[in-house]
Amino acid sequence: MAEADGNGGLNRWSLEGMTALVTGGTKGLGHAVVEELAELGATVHTCSRNEAELNKCIHEWEIKGFKVSGSVCDASSRAEREKLMSNVSSLFNGKLNILINNVGTNVMKPTLEYNEEDFSFLMATNFESAYHLSQLAHPLLKTSGAASIVFMSSVAGVVSVEIGSIYAVTKGAMNQLAKNLACEWARDNIRANSVAPWAIKTPLAEPYLSDEKFSEEVRFRTPMGRAGEPKEVSSLVAFLCMPAASYITGQTICVDGGYTVNGFFFPRT
């Protein structure tokens, strides 16, 4: 692994001069991450299945002065993932500093009600996409000389949360993949970490947080007494990509207001 000062002269608290791919960057956590990385100086490429949504976001980012481009891509499709990485390689001259595997979705059912289609869809979208994109990105990440992969996981991959067993399995797999890649690819100067949020105010979480019972449970079980904001996750993602985090790899870091350390929490009065 590269020495701590082997960052090409980059400011250790900046992403200036770095290139990044963020999957699913037009809404929720992905959108927050794109903006965070761009604000810190990175040149970012993102993707979405929705072309109109992608174009709208890119236009807004251009107005803000961010260096962000985008591709239409269904990350659950192997062929489209290969096309995406080919585009990224061409755009960034065969080098990539940052890969954020953010794409994810959920179908919430009791375990006995899931069918084969549900399983295949969630595994392909949440886990297979991250696994394959990491494989495809490896040559670009290695060539950059100092690279970071961040998997957008969930506390559901760390502890039991009643939001669907298949979703939880995909997130647990992401956490383990980060550990394996951290060990396998350290020699290539590639770090890999996993970020595991709890309830965050995103479009994916909105149906749950709008449910009064679930929302009350979040407040009761979370020591900080609230759901999180996307920026409270994107800041950690950005830090893990900085030269300042050069000795952090193979970790699963929860961003959860204390949820996963709460054995039996008495709410504040």
Side-chain angles (χ1 to χ4, degrees):
M1 192 70 181
E3 296 297 324
D5 61 353
N7 297 310
L10 295 174
N11 184 305
R12 55 197 300 268
W13 295 101
S14 169
L15 299 176
E16 194 69 40
M18 293 192 185
T19 57
L21 170 61
V22 181
T23 61
T26 58
K27 56 188 176 184
L29 291 176
H31 187 277
V33 169
V34 168
E35 295 212 337
E36 193 86 42
L37 299 185
E39 284 173 358
L40 290 164
T43 301
V44 184
H45 190 79
T46 190
C47 64
S48 171
R49 290 178 296 183
N50 188 318
E51 184 173 11
E53 193 174 78
L54 179 65
N55 290 337
K56 178 176 180 292
C57 287
I58 289 175
H59 177 67
E60 292 171 352
W61 288 324
E62 286 176 348
I63 293 173
K64 292 181 179 181
F66 294 158
K67 295 174 287 186
V68 182
S69 58
S71 297
V72 176
C73 174
D74 180 353
S76 67
S77 163
R78 187 176 188 87
E80 292 199 29
R81 292 192 296 264
E82 291 171 345
K83 182 179 178 182
L84 171 66
M85 199 57 66
S86 178
N87 289 341
V88 169
S89 180
S90 177
L91 183 67
F92 295 146
N93 299 313
K95 297 181 181 180
L96 184 66
N97 297 104
I98 298 165
L99 170 62
I100 311 297
N101 283 306
N102 169 72
V103 163
T105 189
N106 193 18
V107 177
M108 194 171 77
K109 295 179 181 179
T111 297
L112 294 178
E113 294 182 14
Y114 281 118
N115 57 37
E116 182 179 354
E117 288 74 24
D118 295 328
F119 186 87
S120 296
F121 171 67
L122 288 173
M123 289 299 293
T125 304
N126 293 7
F127 181 65
E128 183 185 338
S129 65
Y131 192 99
H132 187 213
L133 283 170
S134 297
Q135 289 179 313
L136 293 172
H138 176 268
L140 284 69
L141 296 166
K142 182 178 179 180
T143 301
S144 75
S148 179
I149 301 172
V150 178
F151 296 94
M152 194 65 73
S153 180
S154 166
V155 297
V158 179
V159 297
S160 177
V161 181
E162 293 183 1
I163 57 174
S165 59
I166 302 176
Y167 178 83
V169 166
T170 65
K171 298 304 183 178
M174 281 181 138
N175 298 341
Q176 187 59 42
L177 180 58
K179 297 178 191 297
N180 280 72
L181 296 188
C183 295
E184 284 189 39
W185 293 354
R187 65 177 67 89
D188 298 324
N189 297 327
I190 300 170
R191 295 181 295 109
N193 292 286
S194 188
V195 170
W198 166 222
I200 308 295
K201 296 175 183 177
T202 66
L204 183 62
E206 185 178 353
Y208 311 121
L209 292 174
S210 62
D211 179 84
E212 187 175 341
K213 183 179 178 182
F214 184 89
S215 185
E216 179 60 29
E217 186 72 12
V218 169
R219 291 191 293 271
F220 179 83
R221 287 292 308 278
T222 307
M224 292 187 72
R226 62 176 176 85
E229 298 290 341
K231 280 285 187 181
E232 293 177 303
V233 179
S234 63
S235 56
L236 173 60
V237 173
F239 168 69
L240 289 172
C241 300
M242 291 179 176
S246 59
Y247 203 52
I248 302 173
T249 194
Q251 303 303 305
T252 297
I253 304 175
C254 296
V255 187
D256 62 0
Y259 177 84
T260 54
V261 297
N262 173 18
F264 190 81
F265 178 67
F266 291 96
R268 292 169 293 183
T269 57

